[in-house]
Amino acid sequence: MAVWDKKILWSFMILLTGAVGQPYTYPGNVTVNYPGPVCAVKGSTVTLHCTFTPHKSFIKDGREYPLRIIRVVWCKNHEICQGSTPSVYDSKSDTNNPRYQYLGDKKGNCTLQIRDIRREDDATFRFRMETNHSAGHYTVTSGVKVTVIDDPQMTIISSRNQSLIREGQTETLLCISSCSFHQLEVTWFRDDHALSESGPALQLGPLTAEDSGNYTCGLKTNSKTRSRLYEVRVEAAEEGESDKVSLIVGVVFGVLLALGALILGFFIFKRKQEADKDQRNVGGDVGQKSPDNLYSNILPHAEPDRLSHPQETGRDVEEISYAAVQFKHKNQARYDTMMLHLYRQVYSSYL
């Protein structure tokens, strides 16, 4: 009987070992990266940036089985978000609260956005992934803590840390509170008149006298959060600085004008030199040519009585020679042809 009882005991141990002694193993580690603690203003929008790395597969009895994500869940104030635990978002549910928007996917992005933050959202939020096999289900229990405050007192700070600014400069005013917030929509006022800007940063510049005034900011959804007055005074630029700028501009203009005059004078001088050189060259060529050879083709056609007046002919030749000096030429053959044609016209007028 004792032997039989021992056999039964060993059989039970073997069965128990087979049931719980075959754990799953995984080629890699599963991770979920939550943001740090978040402070949210009531009525604002908060984005919980989140990434995860799921198990790709698991190994059992020496064999590897692939895994794929089939469900993602966000819940609050629950350790593992398992089973029928109330959730704020469930990828398999058609009745999710529209205030909670899942901006992630089933591959590695688990970002959740919470709109119109309420007091009930002051909680710890956790993300859970589920696969096509229970071996891949996982929840990282650390989660992200969200703190909700009702009516924070907004404060304006300046990028220059001074309220007196000169014309032409730029300025950035920031609307902040003691709570770290995301995507906060605020309303800006100047002398109690609302401005069009709605972000936490107000860009001013280039500044003019019209930008002077008392600035305030507050949450769009809560008028009780209005900040204290922040005075911005824009003063005109100093006269000394204006005179200095005018003097610099005048000096630069004078230098450029003088430089232009020098360049123009240089080109005029060079052109005059070239003209004088050409005139001397033309005069030399005309003086070297023999009048008899130059006009040999013209004189036979002239009437005897015309040729009997050497004074008139000499005067005509001098006038033609003077006119020839005025021509600037580069091709001597073309110049001689033109001169012969001119002489023909002169003598033909006497025929």
mmCIF file with all atom_site columns, all heavy atoms in Angstrom, residues 10 31 83:
data_model
loop_
_atom_site.group_PDB
_atom_site.id
_atom_site.type_symbol
_atom_site.label_atom_id
_atom_site.label_alt_id
_atom_site.label_comp_id
_atom_site.label_asym_id
_atom_site.label_entity_id
_atom_site.label_seq_id
_atom_site.pdbx_PDB_ins_code
_atom_site.Cartn_x
_atom_site.Cartn_y
_atom_site.Cartn_z
_atom_site.occupancy
_atom_site.B_iso_or_equiv
_atom_site.pdbx_formal_charge
_atom_site.auth_seq_id
_atom_site.auth_comp_id
_atom_site.auth_asym_id
_atom_site.auth_atom_id
_atom_site.pdbx_PDB_model_num
ATOM 1  N N   . TRP A 1 10 ? 4.388   10.304 -7.065  1.00 0.00 ? 10 TRP A N   1
ATOM 2  C CA  . TRP A 1 10 ? 5.328   10.640 -8.136  1.00 0.00 ? 10 TRP A CA  1
ATOM 3  C C   . TRP A 1 10 ? 4.595   10.973 -9.429  1.00 0.00 ? 10 TRP A C   1
ATOM 4  O O   . TRP A 1 10 ? 4.991   11.888 -10.170 1.00 0.00 ? 10 TRP A O   1
ATOM 5  C CB  . TRP A 1 10 ? 6.288   9.468  -8.377  1.00 0.00 ? 10 TRP A CB  1
ATOM 6  C CG  . TRP A 1 10 ? 7.429   9.460  -7.408  1.00 0.00 ? 10 TRP A CG  1
ATOM 7  C CD1 . TRP A 1 10 ? 7.632   8.584  -6.371  1.00 0.00 ? 10 TRP A CD1 1
ATOM 8  C CD2 . TRP A 1 10 ? 8.523   10.372 -7.406  1.00 0.00 ? 10 TRP A CD2 1
ATOM 9  N NE1 . TRP A 1 10 ? 8.785   8.886  -5.691  1.00 0.00 ? 10 TRP A NE1 1
ATOM 10 C CE2 . TRP A 1 10 ? 9.363   9.993  -6.317  1.00 0.00 ? 10 TRP A CE2 1
ATOM 11 C CE3 . TRP A 1 10 ? 8.892   11.470 -8.160  1.00 0.00 ? 10 TRP A CE3 1
ATOM 12 C CZ2 . TRP A 1 10 ? 10.539  10.674 -6.000  1.00 0.00 ? 10 TRP A CZ2 1
ATOM 13 C CZ3 . TRP A 1 10 ? 10.066  12.124 -7.840  1.00 0.00 ? 10 TRP A CZ3 1
ATOM 14 C CH2 . TRP A 1 10 ? 10.887  11.750 -6.782  1.00 0.00 ? 10 TRP A CH2 1
ATOM 15 N N   . THR A 1 31 ? 8.941   46.169 -23.957 1.00 0.00 ? 31 THR A N   1
ATOM 16 C CA  . THR A 1 31 ? 9.124   47.436 -23.241 1.00 0.00 ? 31 THR A CA  1
ATOM 17 C C   . THR A 1 31 ? 7.973   48.382 -23.563 1.00 0.00 ? 31 THR A C   1
ATOM 18 O O   . THR A 1 31 ? 7.379   48.316 -24.645 1.00 0.00 ? 31 THR A O   1
ATOM 19 C CB  . THR A 1 31 ? 10.444  48.129 -23.636 1.00 0.00 ? 31 THR A CB  1
ATOM 20 O OG1 . THR A 1 31 ? 10.422  48.400 -25.041 1.00 0.00 ? 31 THR A OG1 1
ATOM 21 C CG2 . THR A 1 31 ? 11.641  47.260 -23.303 1.00 0.00 ? 31 THR A CG2 1
ATOM 22 N N   . GLY A 1 83 ? -8.912  41.757 -18.844 1.00 0.00 ? 83 GLY A N   1
ATOM 23 C CA  . GLY A 1 83 ? -10.278 41.254 -18.884 1.00 0.00 ? 83 GLY A CA  1
ATOM 24 C C   . GLY A 1 83 ? -11.304 42.361 -19.031 1.00 0.00 ? 83 GLY A C   1
ATOM 25 O O   . GLY A 1 83 ? -11.233 43.192 -19.936 1.00 0.00 ? 83 GLY A O   1
#
